[in-house]
Each structure stands twice: as structure tokens, then as C-alpha cells.
């Protein structure tokens, strides 16, 4: 059976992606770091839609923990494979570059970009062998245009977008597609402390997006309907200039 793994599926965009993929018929693996209650809530939401969800906590920024968790999952599911991977887990730690300490740089790069490498590399082999796969990377507007105060985050997301384009060309012949979505401002815990009243004035649609609006685009890219789309970045930002 073809499974979908959503990193950072416990909350926000990842949760909406889990629900949207379940509606597409995927059994969903919900990854998260530590928030088990939120992950269980995601599982319930998937099940309420008639879908199937399993929890698989591990730290995506840690290579060994990632390999261990994914090896264990595969051992428990000898006849299944993870055909769709959504690299969604992410953090931000904003500060002007002159004040940015080493941790703020490395933690953001490890969680947002190294994770893409660790998780994708581990799952790619079976996608190539089975000759069908979908990799969808949740990047950001910051990775396209760059954002002041987010040099670390912009570097990570920009790197993710370039890696999306490179990998897409490597694996296209095996029917594995690799795409990214680049959300603008989306209503989640990550944006809860931002000055929303000011920021919406920058958005032509005059509102933040919903996690579900990102989830729908990801579910489309994961479907058979998107079979000829690869190496692309879909902006989901209410018309914010990119
Ligand atoms: P969020 O509400 O803060 O949720 C973050 C998710 O990532 C949680 O499920 C969290 O797990 C998980 N996570 C964090 N570090 C992890 C780690 N080391 N290992 C495994 N899981 C980890 O964030 P969000 O707004 O939904 O963002 C999701 C993605 O969209 C991120 O990549 C973000 O950069 C991107 N994005 C967001 C926006 C926006 O406006 N919200 C815009 C553009 C791009 P726990 O629940 O266990 O903490």
C-alpha cells in the first residue's frame, strides 16, 4: 500500500495536509517533534474523514533519529512503502543578521533544510525502485524573495527550492515528481505573534491564508492528476508580490 508521510503533521499546515491527503485516499503517517496531544488531534481529524493515520514522532533535524524511525516503520510494514513525502516540519528564529548567533543560524538550517536531505534520501530509493513517488517541499515566500530579519530562514527555504529543482531533474524518468509550495502568511502557531493588522495590508487579498488552502495544493501535487508537473514552486500567498 502507498503511504504518505507528513513531517510536522501535528499542527498548522502539516495537519491540514494530513487531512487533505487522507481525503485523497492516502493512509497518513503523522510525524512531529514532541506535541503528542496535537498529533493525536490530527489523527482524530483524519479518522473523522474516514481515513487512516499513524503517529511517527522523530526529530527531522537529526539524521540518526530519522533513519531509526523510518527503518522501524518499514520493518513493521514490509509490504508497504512511503510513496508520498511532504517535507513540512519547520521553525523560524527571526533576528537581524548583525545580532544572529550561531544557534539561530544552525538550528533553522538543520530543521528546515538538513531535514529535507535526511528524510528524502532515506525514502527516495523505494520510490525509484517502485517507479512512482511524490515529494512536496513546503518552502516559503521568504525562500523566493528573501525577507529582512529572516536571513537564516530565507537561506533554508531558498536552498530547499533549488534542491527541489535539481532533484526533480534527477528522478523524473522514474515517475517521481518533486515540487514545492511557497506559502505567504498563513494562520498558524508560527505566525500567531506577528502584527497581523499591519501585515494584511501588504496582501492584495487583505487576509492571511488558511492551512487548508495550502493543504489542497499539496494534495493536488500528490495526486495522479499532477503527473506531468515537476520541479515547480506554487506560490500560495493571496497575490503578495514574489
Ligand atoms: P507550526 O504551526 O509552528 O507547526 C510546526 C510543525 O513542525 C509542528 O508539527 C512541529 O511539531 C513540527 N516540527 C518542528 N520542528 C520539528 C522537528 N525538529 N522534527 C519534527 N517535527 C518538527 O508551523 P506551520 O506554520 O504549520 O509551518 C509549517 C511549514 O510551513 C514550515 O516549514 C514553515 O516554515 C512553512 N511556512 C509557514 C508559513 C506560515 O505563514 N505559517 C509560511 C510559509 C511557510 P510539534 O507539534 O511536535 O512541535
Amino acid at each position: 500500500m502507498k503511504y504518505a508521510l507528513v513531517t510536522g503533521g501535528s499542527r498548522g499546515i502539516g495537519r491540514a495536509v494530513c487531512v487533505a491527503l487522507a481525503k485523497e485516499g492516502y493512509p497518513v503517517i503523522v510525524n512531529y517533534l514532541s506535541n503528542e496531544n496535537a498529533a493525536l488531534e490530527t489523527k482524530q481529524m483524519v479518522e473523522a474523514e474516514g481515513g487512516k493515520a499513524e503517529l511517527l514522532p522523530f526529530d527531522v533535524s537529526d539524521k540518526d533519529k530519522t533513519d531509526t524511525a523510518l527503518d522501524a516503520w518499514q520493518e513493521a510494514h514490509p509490504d508497504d512503502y512511503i510513496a508520498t513525502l511532504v517535507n513540512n516540519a519547520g521553525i523560524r528564529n527571526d533576528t537581524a543578521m548583525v545580532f544572529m548567533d550561531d544557534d539561530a543560524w544552525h538550528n533553522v538550517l538543520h530543521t528546515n533544510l538538513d531535514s529535507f536531505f535526511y528524510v528524502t534520501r532515506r525514502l527516495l530509493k523505494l520510490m525509484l525502485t517502485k517507479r512512482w513517488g511524490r515529494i512536496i517541499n513546503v518552502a516559503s515566500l521568504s525562500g523566493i524573495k528573501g525577507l529582512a530579519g529572516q536571513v537564516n530562514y530565507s537561506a533554508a527555504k531558498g536552498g530547499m527550492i533549488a534542491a527541489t529543482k535539481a532533484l526533480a531533474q534527477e528522478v523524473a524518468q522514474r515517475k517521481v515528481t518533486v515540487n514545492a509550495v511557497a506559502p505567504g502568511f498563513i494562520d498558524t502557531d508560527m505566525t500567531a505573534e506577528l502584527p497581523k493588522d499591519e501585515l494584511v495590508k501588504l496582501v492584495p487579498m487583505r487576509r492571511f491564508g488558511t492551512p487548508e488552502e495550502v493543504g489542497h495544493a499539496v494534495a493536488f501535487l500528490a495526486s495522479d492528476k499532477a503527473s506531468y508537473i515537476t520541479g515547480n514552486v506554487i506560490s500560495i500567498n493571496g497575490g503578495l508580490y514574489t
Side-chain angles (χ1 to χ4, degrees):
M1 192 180 264
K2 286 178 180 170
Y3 275 75
L5 167 65
V6 182
T7 68
S10 51
R11 293 183 281 127
I13 291 172
R15 169 181 283 175
V17 168
C18 288
V19 173
L21 289 175
K23 285 184 186 165
E24 278 287 321
Y26 275 107
V28 179
I29 306 164
V30 183
N31 160 260
Y32 60 101
L33 181 61
S34 58
N35 199 335
E36 189 180 6
N37 285 341
L40 283 168
E41 234 174 88
T42 300
K43 185 174 189 290
Q44 282 164 9
M45 289 170 76
V46 166
E47 288 167 352
E49 295 292 339
K52 202 177 140 198
E54 295 176 19
L55 305 192
L56 190 65
F58 62 91
D59 181 348
V60 293
S61 69
D62 184 314
K63 178 170 74 78
D64 294 336
K65 286 180 182 156
T66 297
D67 281 342
T68 305
L70 292 173
D71 287 349
W73 184 88
Q74 194 63 66
E75 242 172 67
H77 295 78
D79 300 326
D80 305 316
Y81 87 108
I82 296 172
T84 289
L85 164 63
V86 183
N87 287 305
N88 164 79
I91 56 165
R92 63 182 183 86
N93 187 346
D94 301 350
T95 180
M97 176 114 170
V98 282
F99 303 120
M100 193 176 287
D101 60 24
D102 291 359
D103 280 351
W105 174 263
H106 289 301
N107 291 342
V108 167
L109 267 289
H110 288 326
T111 303
N112 294 284
L113 186 59
D114 293 355
S115 60
F116 154 80
F117 175 60
Y118 298 146
V119 183
T120 308
R121 177 180 60 178
R122 174 63 186 75
L123 299 181
L124 197 53
K125 217 177 271 176
L126 261 188
M127 291 185 195
L128 294 173
T129 312
K130 304 272 186 193
R131 291 178 181 268
W132 199 96
R134 293 280 186 271
I135 298 165
I136 298 127
N137 298 318
V138 181
S140 169
L141 174 67
S142 305
I144 298 174
K145 75 178 280 290
L147 213 63
Q150 291 196 326
V151 170
N152 49 358
Y153 184 83
S154 302
K157 296 299 191 181
M160 185 182 230
I161 287 171
T164 299
K165 294 175 181 176
L167 182 61
Q169 294 170 62
E170 269 184 37
V171 299
Q173 283 189 2
R174 297 281 180 125
K175 294 188 183 164
V176 177
T177 68
V178 190
N179 291 290
V181 294
F185 295 112
I186 307 297
D187 263 320
T188 68
D189 293 344
M190 189 180 268
T191 52
E193 289 157 21
L194 297 181
K196 189 171 177 178
D197 292 348
E198 287 305 309
L199 292 171
V200 289
K201 291 177 192 157
L202 305 172
V203 184
M205 286 193 184
R206 297 286 185 269
R207 66 175 179 86
F208 278 16
T210 66
E212 289 72 25
E213 286 170 322
V214 181
H216 294 315
V218 172
F220 167 67
L221 289 171
S223 72
D224 272 323
K225 294 167 212 147
S227 51
Y228 203 52
I229 302 174
T230 196
N232 266 280
V233 185
I234 299 184
S235 286
I236 306 167
N237 60 23
L240 202 52
Y241 178 68
T242 51

